[in-house]
Every structure is written in structure tokens, then in C-alpha cells.
Amino acid sequence: MDNWEAETLNISGIVDDSIVDGPGLRYTIFVQGCPHGCPECHNPQTHSFEENKRVTLGQLMSEIKENPLLYGVTFSGGEPFCQPAPLYDLAKRIKENTKLDIMAYTGFTFEQLVEKSKTDEDVKNLLSVVDILVDGKFILAQRSLELHFKGSRNQRIIDCKKSLETGNVVIKEL
């Protein structure tokens, strides 16, 4: 076992066959810890930064590889960009060993993450491996059950790679 397999992530939970956290059948990891505190958040149990459940990246990778029907892996929360280093390591390994895409939900805006990535290498690395980013805090007054893969109208579904390449937000149609 190398160090990568022993590296851990603090999670709230996992859904290994989600159809609501992005396109296709997805393995969704709900990380523990979120600074945003959005009123009426769908996952308030993920807000605390206290340790909840530690899982190794090796264990997660093993579970992901077990399901040949997966279309992708989604990082949700909580706030994935509060644990960018282990999520980057996991996403990088997923990309090296599968054809799965990576989707991440964040309460930060894309612009805030780009600014943060100038001084935080871990955030920069995680952004570099995310294919689809849903950004922005959940705003109850803008909530709609008609939206696909997001909770409120202010949130954007972003083609992260194209946005990083062009320096402008590129909306992804799903």
C-alpha cells in the first residue's frame, strides 16, 4: 500500500448510484465541513468541520472501480474546496484509471476559486481536474425544483476546463 492509499478524506456520506448529482449514474461523495451556512441547505448535517467519518482514498477508488455503470464521480458537501488536496489526489487517480468525469458542487463562485487558486496550490490543482463545476451558494429565494443539477437560479453549471482555458465562465448545457 502506498501513501496515496492511506490518505484520508473526512466525509458525511456516499451515494454510490446517484442520478440527481450530475449527468448519468454517479458515485457521489459528500464531504464534511462547509463555511457557507446557506439557509435551508439540503445537507445541513455536512456543515460541521468536526471529524465525522474518515475514509481512505484507496477505499473510495476501489468502490468507484467496482461499478462499471458509472458515468462520473461527484464531489458535494459540505464544501469540497475545503478539502482540496485529498480530493485532487482522488480525482487525479480517477482520471488516470477510468473514463469517468469529475463534477463538483461549491458554494464559492468560479471567480472566487480562481482568485483563491492564485495563492492556494491545492485549490488550483482541484480546479484543474474538475470537468463540471456547479458554483454559488444556495439561495432559498431563488430555489426552483425545475432546475437540473442545481438548487437555485443563481447557481451556474460551468465547463471548468474551458473556463480555465479562456479565463471566462463557459456555461455547460446538461
Side-chain angles (χ1 to χ4, degrees):
M1 176 166 72
D2 63 24
N3 288 338
W4 178 85
E5 291 176 322
E7 188 175 0
T8 64
L9 185 64
N10 185 18
I11 67 166
S12 174
I14 293 168
V15 176
D16 60 6
D17 59 354
S18 174
I19 59 169
V20 298
D21 296 310
L25 189 66
R26 306 192 73 78
Y27 186 95
T28 303
I29 301 167
F30 294 91
V31 299
Q32 187 67 41
C34 182
H36 305 298
C38 302
E40 300 295 320
C41 172
H42 186 67
N43 300 318
Q45 72 280 5
T46 66
H47 291 184
S48 171
F49 281 92
E50 290 183 22
E51 188 162 318
N52 184 50
K53 180 181 179 184
R54 286 266 166 202
V55 293
T56 67
L57 301 186
Q59 176 187 343
L60 292 170
M61 188 67 194
S62 177
E63 290 176 13
I64 290 165
K65 288 171 71 174
E66 282 178 13
N67 188 344
L69 301 177
L70 288 177
Y71 186 84
V73 176
T74 298
F75 301 150
S76 191
E79 174 55 65
F81 285 89
C82 287
Q83 295 188 65
L87 286 174
Y88 167 70
D89 291 343
L90 179 60
K92 185 174 176 223
R93 187 67 59 109
I94 290 167
K95 294 246 181 219
E96 290 169 352
N97 291 282
T98 73
K99 294 181 178 171
L100 303 176
D101 69 19
I102 303 294
M103 183 166 176
Y105 284 84
T106 179
F108 295 109
T109 64
F110 175 78
E111 293 85 356
Q112 288 170 325
L113 289 173
V114 167
E115 189 60 33
K116 189 173 174 84
S117 74
K118 293 175 182 175
T119 57
D120 188 329
E121 194 72 19
D122 293 329
V123 168
K124 181 179 182 177
N125 288 340
L126 180 54
L127 264 179
S128 76
V129 292
V130 170
D131 298 296
I132 304 166
L133 183 75
V134 180
D135 80 334
K137 292 180 182 181
F138 170 75
I139 298 175
L140 185 59
Q142 295 186 38
R143 177 181 182 218
S144 172
L145 298 177
E146 297 173 1
L147 301 170
H148 292 286
F149 309 127
K150 57 185 185 171
S152 56
R153 287 186 172 81
N154 63 296
Q155 295 171 316
R156 303 174 292 183
I157 300 174
I158 297 170
D159 183 321
C160 200
K161 293 199 176 307
K162 286 184 181 175
S163 297
L164 289 170
E165 287 170 9
T166 65
N168 296 304
V169 171
V170 176
I171 300 298
K172 183 160 185 78
E173 296 298 325
L174 295 179

